[in-house]
Amino acid sequence: MRLIDNPFYILDVSTTDNRQTIISKAEEKSFFEDSSVCGEAQNILLNIIKRTSAELSWFPGTDNSKIREICDAIKNNQSINLSGLDSVARLNACVHNFSIQTHEDVYETGYSVLEIDELFESLDAVKVTDIINSDRQKAGIKEISENEVSAELQKIREYISHVITEKVQEFSDEQYAEFATLIAEKCIADTSYNDGIVIDDIINQYEIWVQPVLSEYETEIRSIIKKVETVLTKEHYSSDINERNSYEASLQISTQKNVDSILQKLKSWDVYAQPLQLRDTARGYGNTNSQNLARDIRELAILLYNEKGYTELSIKITNYLKSVFAELPEFVDKVSNDERILKDNKAQEALDKLREQNRQIAVAQQQIRNFGSNLIGCLSPFAGIAIFIVIILIIAGLSECSSDSNDSSSKTSKPSSSYSGGTSNYYDYDDYDYTPSQSYDSGNSVKANQLKSELEDLKDEIEDMEWDLDQLKDDIDYYERQYYNTGYDFYINYYDDAVDDYNDLYDEYEAAIEEYNDKVNEYNRLIGAN
């Protein structure tokens, strides 16, 4: 009951006043106040059983000077000074203060509720019974049993829950969710805190209120998932490649928008679901609604990758799921494994794309060389020189494109410090000169002509090795960047394997250059160049 409605306040009597004093005060107050209210207050205080409720809702064991101070605060609708109060008296003062305060700040409200809960949980029925009976002895009123006190304390609990519920109704929906989350985080989810029954009441009341809100979000999310699944699994065929490309581009854009909408609604859902998730986790079991919704969204991420290869979208979803459903450890393990697989596949896709770009550029360079050689042979010396210069510039431009494509394959720059986890190092061959010092265009002997043919073949082999070495260097740089960007250990293994392949090929490359230079020297000797 409210302090202002308490019979002790109405009649202005103490818990130690005797029967005659109570009757006298009731008669006196009837001249100035509602006589029926005064009569009811008198009946409650003189009834051994009904009196207990009034005593537990007042300030038993408190001296008269403090009671006068408290009555003044009640009359003026002010907060009660807590000094000198303990046990049930302190609890009643805190509940009164909470009931008259405006609660605009969620955190202040939350911490006030935590204090009330802690005070209620600390009540000792035996001690409270002793306090009440001590006052009754002074008043000459029959004592009460511990069981009767314990029963009345449950009514106090109901009143406290009513006061708190009445106050949080002043919050907006978002503030109510924030308040319930604060309560759950500070108490229920804290293993060192034994959550009290007042707190349990608050979360249970919140659960009743929030269920329709959660159900609405879940329905909206599943509706969008169904829409995406229907579109992705629908067959679409067109013989026109431009029309097919336009359809795929439009599909990807619409899917991206739908996924963003799902994640936005999931974010809002999580705000309201958080208190219940924390409570259920603390109790040792998962929230069924959370588990079902998490499963449905994960299945969408798998479908996006399997049906359309939307790796980025799938990774985005798995990252979000890990955050929203962190209270489901087994599920988080699953989506973490999904994320590792997706990122590994993404890395391989990027590497394959880079290799294909470099291959196409190399083919274009070779075609230009061949075209230039054929064209120069048909032109005058000066025209041939001009064409040769143009071809060199074109090849240089393609090489620059190749370099740019390699750089753009990763959005981050190379780490400032080299990776030290590998077992090998690779060498640079850029400055190695294997070009013969003299021309070998004028030999007539059979052996010289044979050597010339061998030199041409060997030169092609060396150029192919240079191409392969370039590709391996790109791979090594890529794996090094990915290791520093992601921290995944499997990139170390890829790095080491690529370094070993590079070094083996480089040994073959050096041997081929040495063989080439030996043959050049032999060729020059045969034609009398030396």
Side-chain angles (χ1 to χ4, degrees):
M1 71 177 65
R2 298 186 305 168
L3 295 181
I4 198 171
D5 297 326
N6 193 290
F8 288 105
Y9 177 78
I10 292 173
L11 299 182
D12 190 20
V13 294
S14 167
T15 53
T16 58
D17 285 337
N18 60 26
R19 182 183 183 88
Q20 284 302 118
T21 302
I22 293 172
I23 295 173
S24 176
K25 281 284 188 179
E27 291 176 352
E28 179 184 329
K29 287 283 184 179
S30 296
F31 288 109
F32 309 101
E33 309 291 344
D34 188 326
S35 60
S36 62
V37 172
C38 295
E40 179 63 19
Q42 172 186 301
N43 291 336
I44 291 174
L45 295 184
L46 295 180
N47 184 295
I48 298 174
I49 301 301
K50 292 182 178 180
R51 178 187 173 95
T52 308
S53 177
E55 289 170 321
L56 287 173
S57 300
W58 194 239
F59 303 91
T62 305
D63 62 70
N64 290 333
S65 62
K66 184 66 178 178
I67 291 293
R68 284 193 294 273
E69 177 188 323
I70 291 172
C71 288
D72 287 340
I74 297 171
K75 180 180 180 180
N76 296 316
N77 200 34
Q78 296 176 343
S79 295
I80 296 172
N81 188 328
L82 300 180
S83 63
L85 299 176
D86 61 6
S87 189
V88 70
R90 188 177 186 88
L91 172 64
N92 290 331
C94 282
V95 174
H96 166 79
N97 293 347
F98 180 84
S99 67
I100 66 171
Q101 292 169 356
T102 55
H103 296 273
E104 298 178 353
D105 187 284
V106 170
Y107 283 89
E108 286 184 6
T109 305
Y111 285 113
S112 295
V113 169
L114 294 179
E115 183 180 10
I116 291 171
D117 178 69
E118 187 175 351
L119 285 171
F120 184 84
E121 284 300 302
S122 67
L123 290 180
D124 184 342
V126 174
K127 182 179 178 181
V128 173
T129 302
D130 289 342
I131 293 173
I132 290 176
N133 284 334
S134 176
D135 285 352
R136 285 194 175 198
Q137 287 176 357
K138 296 175 183 177
I141 296 175
K142 184 180 178 181
E143 295 182 6
I144 193 172
S145 70
E146 179 187 334
N147 288 338
E148 290 172 311
V149 169
S150 296
E152 288 297 329
L153 284 176
Q154 293 309 306
K155 295 180 181 179
I156 300 296
R157 166 191 172 182
E158 293 171 4
Y159 171 69
I160 292 172
S161 296
H162 170 74
V163 170
I164 294 173
T165 301
E166 196 175 58
K167 281 299 176 180
V168 298
Q169 285 177 349
E170 300 173 5
F171 288 150
S172 65
D173 291 352
E174 292 78 8
Q175 286 177 318
Y176 189 15
E178 186 180 3
F179 166 75
T181 301
L182 171 66
I183 296 298
E185 286 177 343
K186 294 296 181 181
C187 298
I188 296 174
D190 185 353
T191 56
S192 65
Y193 184 91
N194 183 20
D195 54 296
I197 54 178
V198 172
I199 294 302
D200 201 40
D201 288 344
I202 292 173
I203 300 301
N204 289 339
Q205 290 168 358
Y206 174 81
E207 183 174 20
I208 294 171
W209 172 84
V210 83
Q211 282 301 339
V213 179
L214 295 178
S215 295
E216 183 177 354
Y217 276 116
E218 290 163 13
T219 300
E220 291 175 354
I221 289 171
R222 288 193 172 96
S223 175
I224 300 174
I225 291 175
K226 184 66 177 177
K227 176 182 175 182
V228 173
E229 289 175 344
T230 301
V231 173
L232 289 181
T233 55
K234 180 181 178 181
E235 292 187 6
H236 177 83
Y237 176 77
S238 173
S239 58
D240 187 341
I241 187 171
N242 291 328
E243 195 277 334
R244 288 201 306 271
N245 290 339
S246 175
Y247 173 80
E248 290 297 332
S250 175
L251 177 62
Q252 187 166 6
I253 292 172
S254 65
T255 303
Q256 172 73 62
K257 290 181 179 178
N258 283 325
V259 168
D260 288 343
S261 179
I262 289 172
L263 297 184
Q264 185 60 43
K265 292 182 183 298
L266 180 61
K267 181 179 179 181
S268 299
W269 175 90
D270 186 46
V271 169
Y272 293 102
Q274 192 66 214
L276 305 184
Q277 292 172 331
L278 290 168
R279 179 200 63 187
D280 292 344
T281 300
R283 291 177 176 178
Y285 57 84
N287 183 278
T288 303
N289 288 346
S290 295
Q291 291 172 336
N292 292 338
L293 186 61
R295 180 202 61 219
D296 292 346
I297 299 176
R298 175 178 179 254
E299 288 176 356
L300 173 63
I302 294 173
L303 179 70
L304 289 173
Y305 179 77
N306 289 340
E307 288 292 329
K308 291 297 181 180
Y310 293 162
T311 310
E312 290 285 354
L313 272 182
S314 297
I315 291 174
K316 183 177 182 178
I317 292 174
T318 54
N319 276 332
Y320 217 88
L321 291 177
K322 285 196 304 181
S323 172
V324 171
F325 298 102
E327 77 286 349
L328 302 175
E330 292 183 2
F331 177 77
V332 170
D333 288 342
K334 286 183 181 179
V335 292
S336 295
N337 185 57
D338 293 345
E339 184 182 30
R340 284 192 292 271
I341 294 172
L342 288 167
K343 286 187 175 180
D344 193 10
N345 291 343
K346 178 185 175 184
Q348 188 60 49
E349 290 169 3
L351 187 58
D352 291 343
K353 182 178 180 181
L354 175 62
R355 284 174 170 168
E356 178 61 21
Q357 287 175 343
N358 288 339
R359 187 193 68 78
Q360 292 176 0
I361 290 173
V363 169
Q365 289 174 334
Q366 187 59 48
Q367 289 174 344
I368 292 172
R369 289 193 188 100
N370 294 341
F371 171 76
S373 298
N374 295 334
L375 182 62
I376 290 172
C378 302
L379 298 174
S380 65
F382 292 108
I385 291 171
I387 293 296
F388 178 75
I389 292 172
V390 171
I391 291 172
I392 292 298
L393 292 174
I394 292 173
I395 293 174
L398 286 171
S399 297
E400 182 65 28
C401 290
S402 175
S403 174
D404 290 343
S405 69
N406 293 346
D407 291 341
S408 64
S409 66
S410 175
K411 294 185 182 299
T412 57
S413 61
K414 186 174 180 180
S416 58
S417 59
S418 299
Y419 162 60
S420 59
T423 58
S424 311
N425 292 313
Y426 59 88
Y427 321 107
D428 196 0
Y429 59 82
D430 292 343
D431 296 330
Y432 201 104
D433 183 14
Y434 57 85
T435 305
S437 58
Q438 301 189 34
S439 172
Y440 50 84
D441 289 339
S442 59
N444 293 322
S445 69
V446 175
K447 190 172 183 178
N449 286 335
Q450 183 180 352
L451 275 174
K452 181 178 180 180
S453 177
E454 291 176 1
L455 283 168
E456 293 293 342
D457 292 339
L458 190 55
K459 184 176 181 181
D460 289 340
E461 290 180 15
I462 290 172
E463 289 177 349
D464 289 342
M465 289 183 186
E466 288 179 346
W467 160 254
D468 291 336
L469 287 168
D470 275 334
Q471 295 306 299
L472 285 169
K473 284 181 69 176
D474 290 337
D475 292 354
I476 290 166
D477 290 341
Y478 176 79
Y479 294 139
E480 183 180 36
R481 286 194 300 270
Q482 289 301 107
Y483 172 72
Y484 284 121
N485 291 341
T486 67
Y488 293 143
D489 290 340
F490 60 79
Y491 284 115
I492 296 178
N493 298 329
Y494 292 166
Y495 176 94
D496 285 342
D497 290 343
V499 168
D500 290 340
D501 291 343
Y502 183 97
N503 288 338
D504 290 342
L505 182 59
Y506 186 81
D507 290 339
E508 296 178 21
Y509 171 77
E510 273 194 324
I513 289 179
E514 185 176 354
E515 181 183 358
Y516 180 89
N517 287 334
D518 289 343
K519 288 183 182 292
V520 168
N521 292 333
E522 177 64 15
Y523 177 83
N524 289 336
R525 185 185 64 76
L526 287 174
I527 63 173
N530 294 330

